[in-house]
């Protein structure tokens, strides 16, 4: 173990990318491609070979904008409607315009997308209006392809380092970051002209129903550190009350996934075996319908494949049991469940933050810039809604390219050494504690309270109690104790989880209306209130452990959405009169 | 410093006969996102050190000798 | 500056790996090959190729897998050799790496294997050739549609489908009547590039196939090419024993805007399988004809939300296009 009072290792880079999952590798690669002379560091808590949401690949693109199937403008319109209008369209358009080129570039790198017999992309229609789903039955090799590109581009890869805080200059610019090694507890200070945050979703916010801390929907390495770092660096976060909640295989807690089975004819059904979902997209509206069916006596809810031909089920299994979450097959096998005759029981996941599936995150513009100069964010933690994997790739690329330009024009920013000392004290505290609280217990307690009080539907009084409980736990944090560097990483993750829990509570209380279906369904304010709340909610740190919240008007649309279009879409959702 | 013991089953097991960690292999330890695997310096074989498993399978898929078996963690099984 | 070990080394020490490749212990050589493949260095390619001659099958397999990142004639030649490896796993690894080739220059060694005595070798060679899209593969691929082994015929169809060359049309139409259903299915799907009349002819034949997946592919093809000639046989397919085929036929009739199909499609709106009702409702909207309105209005309150959603949407499309 490193001597805790040692000088930290120190490195000067041009661009520091934090998180080597999906967006991060593209950011680093594109920065190097823009200017090979730059020193680009890719810092990863795990190992970039197999890290993040796509560690073992993905089974499809949910939002491919392929010419002949959809246009960027159509995509922007639909994402706008699916998010109840509260979007920054410029950023969605920036993604949509590069979506197809990114697919082709990944294809060149050896990432495999489904093609028809003639070798053309086999895009499937799953949503009602547009056509955006491109399956990846052989999508298991994405990480290998990315890793090879990173090596060829000579990106400086640093594995098993967890970034804990950003450094900022006196005038508020990003100046670098501090990280700690999860095997040696070695401290690392990296100075950089630009920092790109790509640390993924906040996946360890709610507690899975199994009670297993690691049985999350998200890759559990994504503990919300990116949100916490952005917050403490002074960046604005947006719409954090728009939670991520997903329909998942019960107990297994992974996706089933309707986007895979859908084109084959599988669907989500109630206990009568009948479809009940009105909404097209994985969205808060859909989750609200899901929730009501579960509550309404027609639950449990299932994924239904038993009406499909055996040949078709085999095809679906070959995808579901091989890529993305390949242990799905193992799970069903353990229970003797067979898609051919058994419906798969589904349930509602724990809550999290993730723009990949909803609309929250660190605020970014169409260049992936946050509100802190020199600080970028991309992927699930950045605020571009419904971005998914391809969005992470594209916005990572956008961030990397823009940062490469930015660093040409600026010197390294100076930071106050006091920041390093304060962080050294915080980071090493758990190792110094002779007695104290084990990280897993503190984490369990926070996440159980998140379930008890924050899981929608949201109730004001419950939220107030939650804030009290969180404050009590905050007072416990100095007692966190770690026996080794691995536990130290877990202890520091607990800090991020608590930060995220408090942000989730504050943002939810601020928006006194209901919006985005189940994601922000407040029983005390059940109606959507466009007059007062057709806006983003921006959250920043007040520098004293609290938050400042404010409204940000929705920018004028670059792709107009006619009210008739909006209404037509909403009309689709009118349920049958019972 | 010590904590109270709270036993749990390890979801990941490694076949020591097949494991070639003693020949320089560290593949499973490298690829585990949760960093829960280690090589035991005494036996020269890989083993699970922390019960924090996402049942994601890189360890099993990438092991060159197919020595790794992942079970779904008991609480979810 | 940074201490050692903070970053992965930018370039692997190939000389050091070389010494481990000389180890007497096959497991050590295997670990070295894994690192070599991961290094992504251009200089790793000849080393991997040499390792294909290693006495240990596991080392050879790892080398064959690692060569998936390289392209060109030398890689192809080496992998073509490994395809003949006595160890089945090595051959399988070589086959899947061959399928990653992209440059036309990689074709020659594969073209020599398409006449190999073993069918799996021929099939793998064709699979490797598919992505290269080279003209010299055209005539032999047409010939290979007569191969005794269905796997070979299936891969040859893939090669022709990627080439999209009209000279292959007669042979593909022939293959649409192959004795193996996989080959027929592939051949029918492949004909999406054919001129409408030719594809419609093949689709017609396919719709009468004994295997439902072939009939489904034929219905899908009709929808893709949107040729009016296909309508009569699609109408028959609306009564297929498999709802999957009926659904694809319905969607195809929608694309053809076949007004005659409206009553039959309307009848499908009361079928018990909701997926099929959905397809029928979609098709009725695509046809954009007011005759469909009574049918659609009747299911505007279907028990299945997707069906009523689409029924309402289709009715909306018809009404707004009339207005
Ligand atoms: C189970 C599952 C299924 C999905 N299915 C699909 C699908 O079918 N189609 C689709 O398009 N999308 C899908 N998605 C969404 C998609 O995978 C994500 O939107 C996308 O991969 C997010 O990329 P990212 O870079 O933001 O995060 P990630 O790829 O998760 O990367 C974040 C990285 O940051 C690292 N990190 C975290 N904290 C730190 C720190 N403090 N310091 C250093 N590194 C850190 C993590 O280890 C991780 O490697 C799915 C997601 C999941 C979880
Ligand atoms: S990957 Fe397999 S062989 Fe290598 S150390 Fe792990 S268990 Fe052993
Ligand atoms: S399944 Fe995933 S988390 Fe579990 S040990 Fe293997 S690599 Fe690690």
């Amino acid at each position: 173990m490193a001597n805790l009072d040692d000088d930290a290792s120190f490195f000067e880079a041009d661009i520091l990318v934090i998180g080597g999952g999906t967006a991060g590798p593209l950011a680093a690669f594109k920065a190097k491609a823009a200017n090979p002379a730059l020193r680009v560091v890719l810092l990863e808590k795990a190992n970039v070979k197999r890290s993040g949401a796509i560690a073992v690949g993905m089974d499809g693109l949910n939002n491919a904008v392929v010419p002949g199937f959809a246009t960027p403008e159509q995509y922007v319109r639909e994402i706008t409607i699916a998010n109840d209008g509260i979007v920054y369209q410029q950023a969605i358009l920036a993604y949509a315009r590069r979506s197809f080129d990114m697919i082709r570039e990944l294809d060149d790198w050896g990432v495999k997308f489904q093609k028809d017999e003639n070798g053309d992309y086999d895009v499937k229609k799953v949503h009602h209006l547009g056509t955006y789903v491109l399956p990846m039955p052989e999508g298991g090799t994405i990480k290998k392809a990315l890793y090879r590109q990173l090596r060829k581009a000579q990106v400086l890869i640093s594995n098993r380092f967890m970034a804990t805080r950003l450094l900022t200059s006196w005038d508020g610019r990003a100046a670098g970051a501090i990280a700690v090694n999860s095997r040696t507890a070695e401290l690392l200070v990296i100075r950089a002209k630009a920092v790109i945050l790509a640390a993924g979703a906040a996946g360890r916010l709610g507690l899975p129903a199994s009670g297993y801390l690691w049985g999350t929907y998200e890759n559990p390495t994504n503990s919300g550190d990116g949100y916490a770092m952005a917050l403490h660096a002074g960046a604005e976060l947006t719409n954090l009350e728009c939670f991520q909640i997903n329909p998942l295989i019960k107990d297994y807690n992974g996706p089933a996934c309707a986007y895979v089975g859908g084109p084959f004819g599988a669907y989500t059904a109630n206990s009568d075996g009948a479809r009940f979902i009105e909404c097209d997209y994985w969205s808060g509206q859909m989750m609200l319908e899901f929730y009501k069916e579960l509550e309404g006596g027609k639950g449990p809810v299932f994924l239904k494949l038993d009406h499909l031909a055996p040949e078709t089920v085999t095809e679906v299994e070959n995808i579901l049991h091989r890529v993305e979450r390949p242990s799905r097959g193992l799970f069903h096998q353990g229970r003797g469940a067979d898609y051919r005759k058994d419906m798969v029981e589904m349930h509602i996941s724990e809550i999290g933050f993730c723009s990949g599936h909803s609309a929250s995150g660190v605020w970014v513009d169409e260049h992936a810039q946050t509100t802190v100069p020199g600080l970028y964010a991309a992927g699930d933690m950045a605020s571009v809604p419904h971005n998914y994997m391809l969005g992470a790739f594209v916005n990572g690329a956008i961030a990397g390219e823009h940062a490469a330009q930015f660093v040409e024009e600026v010197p390294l920013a100076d930071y106050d050494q006091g920041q390093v000392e304060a962080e050294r004290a915080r980071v090493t505290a758990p190792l110094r504690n002779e007695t104290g609280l084990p990280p897993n217990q503190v984490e369990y307690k926070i996440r159980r309270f998140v379930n008890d009080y924050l899981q929608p539907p949201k109730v004001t009084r419950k939220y107030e109690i939650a804030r009290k409980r969180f404050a009590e736990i905050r007072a416990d944090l100095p007692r966190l104790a770690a026996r080794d560097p691995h536990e130290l990483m877990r202890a520091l993750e607990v800090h991020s989880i608590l930060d995220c829990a408090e942000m989730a509570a504050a943002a939810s209380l601020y928006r006194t209306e209901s919006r985005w279906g189940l994601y922000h369904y407040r029983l005390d304010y059940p109606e959507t209130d466009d007059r007062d709340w057709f806006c983003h909610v921006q959250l920043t740190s007040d520098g004293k452990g609290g938050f400042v919240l404010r409204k940000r008007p929705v920018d004028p649309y670059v792709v107009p959405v006619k009210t008739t279009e909006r209404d037509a879409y909403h009309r689709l959702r009118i349920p049958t009169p019972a | 410093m010590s904590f109270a013991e709270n036993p749990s089953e390890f979801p990941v097991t490694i076949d020591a006969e097949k494991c070639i960690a003693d020949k320089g292999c560290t593949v499973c330890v490298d690829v585990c996102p949760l960093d829960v695997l280690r090589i035991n310096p005494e036996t020269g074989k890989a083993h699970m050190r922390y019960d924090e498993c996402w049942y994601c399978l890189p360890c099993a898929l990438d092991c060159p000798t197919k020595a790794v078996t992942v079970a779904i963690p008991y609480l979810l099984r | 500056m940074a201490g050692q070990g903070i970053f992965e080394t930018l370039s692997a020490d190939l000389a050091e790996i070389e010494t481990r490749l000389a180890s007497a212990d096959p497991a050590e050589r295997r670990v070295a090959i894994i690192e070599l493949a991961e290094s992504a260095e251009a200089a790793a390619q000849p080393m991997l190729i040499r390792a294909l001659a290693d006495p240990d099958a596991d080392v050879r397999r790892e080398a064959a897998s690692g060569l998936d990142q390289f392209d060109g004639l030398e890689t192809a030649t080496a992998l073509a050799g490994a395809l003949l490896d006595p160890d089945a796993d090595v051959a399988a690894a070589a086959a899947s790496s061959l399928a990653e080739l992209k440059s036309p220059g990689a074709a020659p060694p594969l073209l020599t294997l398409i006449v190999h005595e073993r069918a799996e070798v021929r099939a793998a060679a064709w699979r490797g050739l598919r992505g290269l899209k080279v003209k010299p593969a055209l005539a032999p691929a047409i010939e290979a549609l007569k191969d005794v082994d269905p796997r070979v015929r299936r891969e040859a169809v893939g090669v022709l489908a990627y080439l999209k060359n009209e000279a292959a049309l007669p042979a593909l139409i022939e293959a649409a009547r192959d004795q193996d259903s996989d080959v027929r299915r592939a051949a029918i799907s492949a004909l999406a590039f054919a001129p409408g009349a030719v594809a419609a002819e093949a689709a017609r034949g396919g719709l009468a196939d004994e295997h439902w997946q072939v009939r489904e592919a034929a219905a899908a093809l009709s929808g893709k090419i949107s040729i009016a000639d296909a309508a009569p046989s699609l109408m028959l397919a609306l009564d297929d024993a498999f709802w999957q085929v009926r659904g694809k036929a319905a969607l195809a009739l929608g694309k053809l805007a076949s007004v005659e199909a409206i009553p039959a499609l309307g009848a499908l709106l009361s079928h018990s399988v909701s997926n099929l009702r959905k397809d029928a409702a979609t098709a009725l909207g695509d046809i954009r004809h007011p005759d469909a309105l009574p049918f659609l209005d009747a299911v505007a309150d279907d028990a299945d939300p997707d069906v009523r959603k689409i029924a309402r949407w289709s009715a909306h499309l018809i009404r707004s296009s009339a207005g």
Side-chain angles (χ1 to χ4, degrees):
Chain A
M1 203 180 291
N3 181 342
L4 302 181
D5 297 315
D6 256 5
D7 262 356
S9 297
F10 179 79
F11 189 77
E12 271 180 16
D14 293 297
I15 298 177
L16 167 63
V17 183
I18 298 175
T22 312
L26 255 292
F29 175 83
K30 288 289 180 181
K32 269 301 229 188
N35 180 357
L38 295 178
R39 275 175 306 177
V40 178
V41 172
L42 179 59
L43 196 78
E44 167 56 51
K45 188 194 259 182
N47 184 313
V48 289
K49 280 182 213 166
R50 289 286 202 183
S51 58
I54 62 169
V56 285
M58 259 312 99
D59 54 26
L61 298 177
N62 298 346
N63 56 341
V65 185
V66 177
F69 294 94
T71 63
E73 289 73 22
Q74 182 187 13
Y75 176 79
V76 171
R77 224 175 275 131
E78 291 191 33
I79 295 299
T80 302
I81 296 170
N83 285 286
D84 290 355
I86 315 270
V87 294
Y88 179 68
Q89 278 194 339
Q90 282 87 333
I92 307 173
L93 188 61
Y95 156 72
R97 289 204 171 126
R98 290 186 64 166
S99 167
F100 185 55
D101 284 343
M102 181 56 69
I103 295 173
R104 285 194 299 193
E105 185 163 24
L106 293 167
D107 197 333
D108 277 348
W109 292 352
V111 177
K112 295 199 195 79
F113 302 99
Q114 184 161 301
K115 298 194 175 150
D116 64 16
E117 190 64 26
N118 299 114
D120 301 315
Y121 293 118
D122 192 9
V123 191
K124 300 284 182 194
K125 191 166 175 72
V126 171
H127 307 306
H128 188 70
L129 299 173
T131 302
Y132 303 110
V133 174
L134 180 55
M136 303 173 67
E138 299 170 85
T141 53
I142 308 179
K143 271 298 204 173
K144 199 181 190 183
L146 291 179
Y147 183 68
R148 285 172 177 166
Q149 295 302 327
L150 291 173
R151 296 217 41 124
K152 283 190 197 145
Q154 302 267 295
V155 168
L156 292 158
I157 298 173
S158 187
N159 292 315
R160 304 292 173 198
F161 271 98
M162 171 187 179
T164 61
R165 282 290 183 265
L166 300 177
L167 296 166
T168 48
S169 66
W170 62 271
D171 56 349
R173 242 181 81 194
I178 302 172
V180 60
N181 188 288
S182 67
R183 291 185 180 165
T184 61
E186 172 181 13
L187 222 61
L188 170 63
V189 176
I190 297 190
R191 232 180 130 186
K193 295 177 181 175
V195 179
I196 300 173
L197 282 171
R204 262 155 67 203
L205 190 47
L207 183 66
S210 65
Y212 191 59
L213 289 174
W214 318 95
T216 46
Y217 168 74
E218 292 292 344
N219 187 324
T221 52
N222 295 340
S223 45
D225 308 335
Y227 299 80
M229 284 187 277
L231 174 78
H232 296 295
E236 264 184 33
L237 294 97
T238 189
N239 299 331
L240 294 173
E241 65 281 13
C242 180
F243 295 166
Q244 163 179 244
I245 306 172
N246 289 325
L248 302 180
I249 300 173
K250 184 164 182 306
D251 301 332
Y252 181 78
N253 216 31
C257 158
Y259 285 160
V260 173
F264 291 99
Y267 54 84
T268 311
N270 60 23
S271 58
D272 299 337
R275 234 191 225 105
F276 63 90
I277 290 177
E278 296 271 335
C279 182
D280 239 25
Y281 284 87
W282 263 39
S283 66
Q285 179 59 32
M286 172 177 149
M287 287 314 301
L288 184 60
E289 292 165 11
F290 202 103
Y291 168 79
K292 289 190 168 158
E293 200 76 4
L294 279 174
E295 296 292 299
K298 287 222 178 143
V301 163
F302 299 91
L303 181 73
K304 183 170 153 59
L305 298 107
D306 57 2
H307 58 297
L308 304 179
E311 296 94 329
T312 312
V313 176
T314 305
E315 249 177 283
V316 176
E317 280 174 344
N318 281 342
I319 304 172
L320 290 182
H321 300 177
R322 291 210 183 139
V323 284
E324 191 176 294
R325 298 306 318 264
S327 59
R328 286 182 275 222
L330 202 60
F331 173 75
H332 294 312
Q333 195 187 26
R335 294 187 170 179
D338 181 352
Y339 294 150
R340 284 161 198 78
K341 47 187 177 48
D342 306 300
M343 297 202 294
V344 180
E345 188 183 349
M346 307 283 292
H347 78 152
I348 289 182
S349 73
E350 69 280 0
I351 68 162
F353 293 151
C354 171
S355 66
H357 301 82
S358 68
S360 66
V362 176
W363 177 269
V364 291
D365 66 9
E366 59 273 43
H367 307 297
Q369 299 182 98
T370 71
T371 55
V372 170
L375 181 64
Y376 296 76
D380 281 348
M381 60 166 291
S383 65
V384 190
H386 275 93
N387 225 1
Y388 296 111
M389 175 174 68
L390 194 57
F393 283 138
V394 170
N395 286 312
I398 290 174
E401 285 167 5
H402 200 274
Q405 272 177 16
F406 176 85
V407 300
E408 300 271 335
E409 292 153 20
V410 295
L412 282 162
D414 286 317
Y415 57 89
D416 174 9
Q417 189 58 28
Q419 288 177 37
V420 176
E421 292 319 316
E423 186 57 2
R424 183 205 304 280
R426 185 181 79 99
V427 165
T428 54
L431 285 176
R432 298 174 194 275
N433 279 339
E434 286 296 327
T435 57
L437 297 165
N440 63 334
Q441 269 196 313
V442 182
E443 175 170 346
Y444 184 91
K445 190 163 165 180
I446 300 169
R447 292 172 62 188
R448 183 175 63 79
F449 284 142
V450 167
N451 282 18
D452 288 349
Y453 298 118
L454 303 193
Q455 178 92 15
K458 304 180 181 179
V459 176
T460 305
R461 187 81 185 93
K462 282 194 182 177
Y463 268 65
E464 286 163 0
I465 298 173
R467 294 184 84 175
K468 243 181 115 200
R469 294 287 96 84
F470 294 153
E472 288 157 13
I473 296 173
R474 181 154 301 277
D476 292 336
L477 292 187
R479 294 180 51 220
L480 275 168
R483 293 172 295 184
D484 62 21
H486 182 85
E487 280 185 0
L488 176 63
M489 164 170 70
R490 299 293 176 234
L492 295 167
E493 289 171 343
V494 169
H495 286 251
S496 304
I497 294 169
L498 187 60
D499 282 345
C500 289
E502 292 188 325
M503 287 191 272
S508 295
L509 280 172
Y510 184 71
R511 187 185 280 277
T512 51
E513 63 151 0
S514 287
R515 193 174 284 274
W516 303 299
L518 187 62
Y519 297 165
H520 185 62
Y521 178 33
R522 288 191 71 171
L523 292 179
D524 319 277
Y525 303 94
E527 302 300 328
T528 299
D529 174 3
D530 273 339
R531 212 183 43 129
D532 281 337
W533 290 104
F534 191 80
C535 60
H536 306 276
V537 166
Q538 309 294 100
L539 178 149
T540 41
S541 164
D542 70 359
K544 296 174 290 205
F547 308 119
V548 179
L549 288 136
R550 70 172 182 96
K551 295 179 181 182
R552 180 193 161 113
V554 173
D555 291 64
Y557 288 162
V558 285
V559 181
V561 179
K562 287 189 243 132
T563 24
T564 49
E565 274 173 307
R566 231 179 119 175
D567 292 349
Y569 191 89
H570 281 290
R571 239 198 338 268
L572 299 175
R573 294 187 191 157
I574 305 167
T576 21
Chain B
M1 201 240 324
S2 68
F3 294 133
E5 197 192 343
N6 198 357
S8 61
E9 183 201 39
F10 280 130
V12 176
T13 46
I14 281 133
D15 183 339
E17 292 284 300
K18 290 189 187 159
C19 175
I20 54 168
D22 50 347
K23 306 294 157 90
C25 182
T26 56
V27 168
C28 59
V29 178
D30 290 343
V31 295
C32 173
L34 277 296
D35 205 14
V36 298
L37 306 176
R38 291 289 184 275
I39 310 283
N40 181 336
E42 269 154 40
T43 60
K45 303 290 168 182
H47 71 117
M48 191 177 205
R49 170 86 164 271
Y50 306 92
D51 170 27
E52 304 168 340
C53 177
W54 192 41
Y55 40 103
C56 50
L57 306 191
C59 55
L61 295 171
D62 294 351
C63 170
T65 64
K66 300 283 158 252
V68 183
T69 308
V70 178
I72 302 289
Y74 180 72
L75 291 177
L76 287 57
R77 214 176 286 162
Chain C
M1 286 309 267
Q4 290 295 309
I6 286 175
F7 300 113
E8 272 187 15
T9 48
L10 282 176
S11 34
D13 185 347
L14 297 187
E16 187 273 335
I17 291 180
E18 188 87 69
T19 58
R20 279 189 284 147
L21 281 175
S23 161
D25 186 333
E28 273 172 19
R29 297 202 299 278
R30 172 140 56 136
V31 171
I33 289 290
I34 293 171
E35 287 174 31
L36 187 59
E38 242 166 28
S39 74
E41 308 266 344
Q45 186 229 29
M47 294 167 74
L48 288 169
I49 290 177
R50 279 199 298 281
L52 289 174
D54 195 282
D56 184 78
D58 289 324
V59 174
R60 297 200 301 279
R61 176 170 51 78
E62 218 68 71
S65 295
L67 281 165
D68 70 337
Q69 61 191 302
F70 297 104
D71 207 335
L73 183 60
E74 280 159 36
T75 306
T77 308
L79 286 171
L83 200 54
L84 308 177
D85 197 285
D87 184 280
D89 290 338
V90 178
S96 74
S97 290
L98 278 171
E100 300 293 319
L101 294 170
K102 287 195 165 79
S103 73
L110 295 175
L111 286 167
T112 65
L113 286 181
I114 55 179
V115 291
H116 193 268
E117 55 183 8
R118 274 171 29 224
E120 58 274 20
V121 172
R122 297 197 299 278
W126 283 120
R127 184 68 175 75
L129 281 164
R130 190 178 75 174
L132 312 186
K133 303 191 203 173
V134 288
K135 193 82 186 289
L138 179 66
I142 291 173
E143 198 54 34
L145 293 179
K146 299 198 200 92
D147 197 285
V148 289
D149 193 287
R151 288 169 299 174
V152 178
R153 301 201 297 277
R154 201 259 162 266
E155 294 303 340
V157 167
V159 171
L160 295 172
Y162 269 52
L163 280 170
K164 297 189 190 172
N165 188 311
E166 298 216 352
L169 289 176
L172 282 172
I173 288 168
E174 185 69 27
R177 290 188 289 265
D178 194 279
Q179 61 195 32
D180 182 88
S181 65
D182 266 351
V183 177
R184 298 200 298 277
R185 187 182 174 195
I188 286 182
S189 304
L191 284 163
F193 80 90
V198 178
E201 171 67 33
R204 203 161 28 240
L207 282 168
D209 199 278
E210 61 180 28
H211 198 287
W212 74 271
Q213 288 182 302
V214 180
R215 301 199 298 279
E216 190 189 37
L221 172 65
S222 311
K224 226 172 181 173
I225 55 166
S226 295
I227 276 286
D229 301 11
S233 37
L234 285 170
M235 295 275 284
L236 290 176
L238 290 181
D239 288 328
D240 198 279
F242 276 74
W243 61 262
Q244 291 88 339
V245 180
R246 293 177 171 198
K248 287 280 188 315
L251 292 172
L253 285 162
K255 297 259 168 53
L256 303 187
S258 167
V259 177
E260 312 82 74
I262 290 177
L265 289 170
L268 286 183
L269 288 176
S270 53
H271 194 277
S272 62
V273 172
S274 63
N275 286 352
L276 182 51
R277 300 203 296 280
K278 221 173 106 170
D279 291 339
T282 306
L284 286 171
D286 285 344
I287 297 172
R288 297 273 203 293
H289 192 284
D291 284 3
L293 286 172
F295 295 110
L296 290 168
D297 289 342
V299 288
D301 290 329
D302 193 281
D304 186 293
D306 264 8
V307 177
R308 57 180 185 261
K309 189 157 75 179
I310 292 171
R312 286 175 191 152
W313 183 249
S314 290
H316 162 79
L317 289 177
I318 294 170
R319 293 202 166 94
S320 53
S321 71

